[in-house]
Amino acid sequence: MIYNPFSLEGRTVLVTGASSGIGRASAIECSRMGAKVLLTARDKARLEETLRRMENPERHSVVLGDLSVEEDLARIVDAVSEPLDGVVQCAGFTTPKPFQFFSEKDIDGLMGVNFKAPALLTQRLLRKKKLRKGCSIVFISSISGVCISLIGESVYSASKGAVNGLVKGIAIELAAKSIRVNTVTPGMINTHILDSGEISEEQLKEDVKRYPLGRYGEPEEVAYAVVYLLSDASRWMTGGNILIDGGYTLL
């Protein structure tokens, strides 16, 4: 057998937001590295599409649910049938809008999905003893709110800044259990950027010029960092962050 410090063979990993983007790529790459994956998201058809793309799809399982709904959160935790070796918190969204036009409902929605839901999921998994000693928890954050912000992203930035603060605190608390907690902080990633119609193709072409490497990132490039943080290759890393932004924050 070839030595591979990044192997996830024999490990069980939960991936939220696995129906698209970074969550889908993380689930696929974890399967390729040997992990058994429990996938969760709100869209059944897209979750099943992720499953079809994974290595040995019959090894993995799917649980449908919205992390911001109490009943769904409980069902997802109950679906964890054996202690987890890894958790990848990918669920999240953004609503580009100037701060003065945000309603209380808008703020509750963004903070609820991007911060409160992954925080409560982590807490539930801990209380139910669903995390194995040596487990690695990875939160997908963003350069927005941690390194920079943009017009219309104030609340999204706040939610991601809150995630990074949470990670540093629980990393200290969980170190005694040998449970590691880290973040990956991407710049703009090629996912479904144009789907909402709020950003034009011309705006994207102009924005990409701000990246020294001349392009946006791909979901797989973030997933590779996730695999690293789940693996033994990063076993002396906790409370840390991996910045993947094509050089954006250098300028």
Side-chain angles (χ1 to χ4, degrees):
M1 182 180 293
I2 299 174
Y3 171 65
N4 181 2
F6 304 98
S7 173
L8 301 178
E9 196 68 44
R11 303 189 185 193
T12 303
V13 176
L14 169 66
V15 180
T16 72
S19 60
S20 63
I22 294 170
R24 170 175 284 176
S26 295
I28 292 170
E29 294 305 321
C30 284
S31 75
R32 288 175 175 169
M33 298 306 293
K36 180 167 69 172
V37 184
L38 173 61
L39 303 84
T40 185
R42 295 177 296 178
D43 191 303
K44 182 179 180 181
R46 292 197 299 177
L47 262 182
E48 290 176 346
E49 173 61 24
T50 301
L51 187 61
R52 285 192 290 272
R53 297 188 190 187
M54 293 170 70
E55 197 84 12
N56 302 311
E58 69 282 354
R59 292 188 62 208
H60 315 295
S61 54
V62 166
V63 55
L64 195 65
D66 183 337
L67 291 177
S68 64
V69 176
E70 171 67 27
E71 295 79 9
D72 289 8
L73 181 62
R75 186 172 68 253
I76 291 166
V77 172
D78 288 342
V80 178
S81 59
E82 58 184 297
L84 297 167
D85 301 288
V87 180
V88 188
Q89 303 270 17
C90 293
F93 77 105
T94 184
T95 303
K97 186 187 296 186
F99 179 69
Q100 62 181 324
F101 298 119
F102 264 93
S103 66
E104 184 174 351
K105 183 178 179 181
D106 290 332
I107 294 172
D108 287 344
L110 268 172
M111 294 300 293
V113 172
N114 293 355
F115 172 71
K116 183 179 177 181
L120 289 178
L121 174 60
T122 302
Q123 187 183 64
R124 293 285 185 90
L125 291 170
L126 283 164
R127 287 177 174 175
K128 295 284 187 177
K129 302 189 185 306
K130 301 280 189 172
L131 302 181
R132 198 183 304 278
K133 182 177 181 180
C135 178
S136 173
I137 307 172
V138 183
F139 287 78
I140 302 301
S141 185
S142 171
I143 59 172
S144 182
V146 179
C147 306
I148 56 102
S149 192
L150 300 168
I151 292 173
E153 285 206 345
S154 56
V155 180
Y156 176 76
S157 294
S159 70
K160 291 301 185 178
V163 164
N164 279 54
L166 175 73
V167 164
K168 290 185 182 303
I170 61 178
I172 296 170
E173 293 183 21
L174 299 181
K177 300 178 184 290
S178 298
I179 295 175
R180 300 183 296 109
V181 193
N182 293 286
T183 53
V184 178
T185 300
M188 185 70 89
I189 303 298
N190 279 321
T191 51
H192 296 281
I193 302 166
L194 293 171
D195 288 359
S196 67
E198 293 170 336
I199 302 174
S200 70
E201 195 166 347
E202 291 72 25
Q203 286 174 307
L204 288 178
K205 286 179 180 177
E206 191 61 32
D207 183 63
V208 80
K209 296 176 183 176
R210 303 170 69 181
Y211 286 77
L213 289 182
R215 65 176 178 86
Y216 291 149
E218 298 298 332
E220 294 76 17
E221 292 169 320
V222 181
Y224 300 148
V226 169
V227 168
Y228 166 70
L229 289 173
L230 292 174
S231 74
D232 284 344
S234 63
R235 62 179 179 266
W236 205 51
M237 183 174 178
T238 195
N241 174 62
I242 297 178
L243 176 66
I244 305 178
D245 71 343
Y248 185 95
T249 54
L250 293 172
L251 302 180

